[in-house]
Amino acid sequence: MSVSAGREFLAIPGPTTVPDAVLQAMHRPAVDIYAGSLLALTDGLLRDVARMFSTEGRAYIYSANGHGAWEAALTNVLSRGDKILVLESGRFAVGWGNSAGRMGVEVEILKGDMRRAVRPAEVEARLKADKGSTIKAVLVTQVDTASGVVNDIPAIGEAIRAAGHDALLMVDAVASLGCMKFDMDGWGVDVAMSASQKGLMAPPGLSFVAANARARDVHKTAGLRTPYWDWTERDGDHHYQKYAGTPPEHMLFALRRALDMLFEEGLENVFRRHALLAEAVRRAVGVWSAGQVIGFNIIEPSERCDTVTPVLVEGYDPDALRAYCREQCGVVLGHGIGDLSGRAFRVAHMGHVNAPMVLGTLSVIEMALMALQIPHGRGGTQAAIEWLGEQVKA
Ligand SMILES: *Cc1c(COP(=O)(O)O)cnc(C)c1O
């Protein structure tokens, strides 16, 4: 018996639900790439992508997923043999560092673990010990989508300055941009990157890099530059150069609509919505954890991010729970990745999400816990409802 007919709900941390209005924005003929409305569209998008990162610096739009933007960010500021420091707090910064390693960059990992945020004091100590300033860049994620941690980017920026070190601060905001505050200039971030398919509510296939003046200065002598990613090429006067070839027009139409939706809601409201819905999920998980089987991956409550919640399952199979949710109920949850593979499921609450989507997802998880007889505290969804009922006033 299944109750899954109807629209399947995707509660994985990317791609996320694409709003109907964004899908519809793509349903139109291709347009001229040399003249007309597309030129103004590009100008507006470059301006608004920079606005999303909160920078006076420059934004670049790539036809690529997040892995592409990782490469774009690295190749534009580094040279073979340069050393970088990767701040571990899950999987993604290390993944970014691995691509640098493959390009001939020397990668040092500042050891962290899957269950906590980067400690800014450790960053400061490591950089203070780097006497000759051999470290050229520090890589970190704002949100690590595998662990569910949120790193304190302003404090990490402070730590670099307190160490008197001139390494570039490079931040992966794929799982946070458009969901949480990101203040590139205010926090001293030199290079930031993100992608279209998570908080930005567009289909996968576009990614973004923002660079401040300091990064663009370092860029001038970077040895890893290649034609497709190169900022200098893209800074050229011709529209064609902005994309190093044919612009991904329909993706741009989608992105325009998605950004307009975010601006219409108001970014402060968008961030507040994410914080409220994330806390609703955490209230539910907190109640379920009374059964001693379900638990949070991130130990310290203040280090849990507002976009995805990885949930540990001790002694039971999280993939059986995910299969039940998908096949019987039409809700697709994320699987545990990295060290959490086979030990966790992940609930995404990023992008185009509202109370019924999140409460529906929590209800289905609770239904699965019952059906699979996984011990849990009763009333998790109720706790989420109560939280939202208190916070969201008439
Ligand atoms: C999803 C994700 C990526 C990778 O993005 P792709 O589009 O899958 O290449 C990188 N970093 C973080 C934090 C992510 O969540």
Side-chain angles (χ1 to χ4, degrees):
M1 178 58 212
S2 151
V3 290
S4 65
R7 181 176 285 199
E8 184 174 83
F9 181 62
L10 206 52
I12 61 174
T16 61
T17 298
V18 181
D20 290 345
V22 173
L23 291 173
Q24 283 153 12
M26 293 190 286
H27 198 86
R28 50 174 292 194
V31 297
D32 189 358
I33 60 172
Y34 298 106
S37 62
L38 196 65
L39 279 52
L41 178 67
T42 293
D43 289 343
L45 285 174
L46 290 173
R47 188 189 60 231
D48 287 338
V49 169
R51 176 177 166 194
M52 293 304 297
F53 284 108
S54 231
T55 183
E56 299 288 316
R58 227 168 259 188
Y60 299 90
I61 300 174
Y62 295 97
S63 308
N65 62 15
H67 283 70
W70 274 353
E71 218 165 297
L74 296 167
T75 53
N76 271 294
V77 294
L78 295 173
S79 299
R80 180 172 280 274
D82 278 355
K83 180 168 177 173
I84 61 171
L85 183 67
V86 170
L87 312 183
E88 184 183 19
S89 63
R91 292 283 292 179
F92 285 88
V94 172
W96 192 7
N98 286 344
S99 28
R102 294 273 301 274
M103 294 177 211
V105 169
E106 190 190 330
V107 180
E108 177 180 326
I109 295 180
L110 187 71
K111 197 80 193 100
D113 66 60
M114 266 314 260
R115 305 201 64 185
R116 66 169 178 85
V118 170
R119 301 276 188 266
E122 293 174 9
V123 179
E124 183 178 337
R126 177 62 193 91
L127 291 178
K128 273 188 174 149
D130 182 40
K131 292 299 177 207
S133 270
T134 60
I135 294 169
K136 300 295 177 209
V138 174
L139 270 56
V140 65
T141 56
Q142 184 177 26
V143 163
D144 189 290
T145 325
S147 66
V149 83
V150 56
N151 285 311
D152 189 343
I153 304 300
I156 292 167
E158 276 300 321
I160 296 173
R161 286 188 292 279
H165 203 288
D166 64 359
L168 294 175
L169 176 56
M170 301 178 65
V171 180
D172 173 332
V174 178
S176 49
L177 198 72
C179 308
M180 300 162 43
K181 181 174 171 175
F182 191 87
D183 185 2
M184 177 159 166
D185 292 352
W187 297 345
V189 175
D190 300 294
V191 180
M193 51 75 59
S194 192
S196 54
Q197 77 275 21
K198 297 188 184 179
L200 298 180
M201 313 188 295
L206 287 184
S207 54
F208 317 103
V209 176
N212 69 7
R214 209 160 80 92
R216 291 178 54 240
D217 202 42
V218 170
H219 162 79
K220 290 177 188 150
T221 55
L224 284 172
R225 287 161 58 177
T226 59
Y228 183 73
W229 306 119
D230 197 300
W231 294 340
T232 299
E233 286 290 324
R234 285 169 183 254
D235 286 340
D237 290 335
H238 300 291
H239 183 253
Y240 197 69
Q241 291 175 281
K242 304 288 174 213
Y243 304 96
T246 305
E249 299 186 336
H250 292 79
M251 296 294 300
L252 302 175
F253 300 149
L255 178 66
R256 181 67 270 161
R257 190 70 199 96
L259 293 180
D260 286 343
M261 286 178 72
L262 292 172
F263 296 146
E264 280 158 21
E265 184 178 351
L267 291 181
E268 287 305 320
N269 291 335
V270 172
F271 302 159
R272 177 89 182 121
R273 169 168 57 83
H274 279 84
L276 287 171
L277 295 173
E279 182 59 22
V281 172
R282 293 188 287 257
R283 295 281 164 126
V285 174
V287 169
W288 295 333
S289 65
Q292 309 284 315
V293 169
I294 298 296
F296 288 103
N297 177 53
I298 297 300
I299 295 162
E300 177 61 40
S302 65
E303 296 179 352
R304 295 172 189 151
C305 76
D306 283 342
T307 53
V308 58
T309 302
V311 181
L312 299 179
V313 184
E314 205 64 61
Y316 290 78
D317 180 10
D319 295 326
L321 179 139
R322 288 178 50 247
Y324 179 94
C325 292
R326 186 181 63 241
E327 284 151 29
Q328 314 292 82
C329 304
V331 171
V332 185
L333 300 174
H335 61 282
I337 58 177
D339 292 352
L340 302 189
S341 175
R343 297 179 47 221
F345 62 88
R346 292 179 299 160
V347 188
H349 28 89
M350 63 171 87
H352 191 55
V353 283
N354 62 17
M357 288 159 158
V358 169
L359 291 174
T361 298
L362 295 174
S363 302
V364 162
I365 295 169
E366 194 153 339
M367 187 177 154
L369 293 171
M370 283 185 205
L372 298 173
Q373 298 183 352
I374 299 174
H376 63 283
R378 292 293 168 99
T381 307
Q382 184 62 33
I385 293 168
E386 281 167 18
W387 160 256
L388 290 175
E390 283 162 16
Q391 297 295 317
V392 183
K393 298 293 180 203

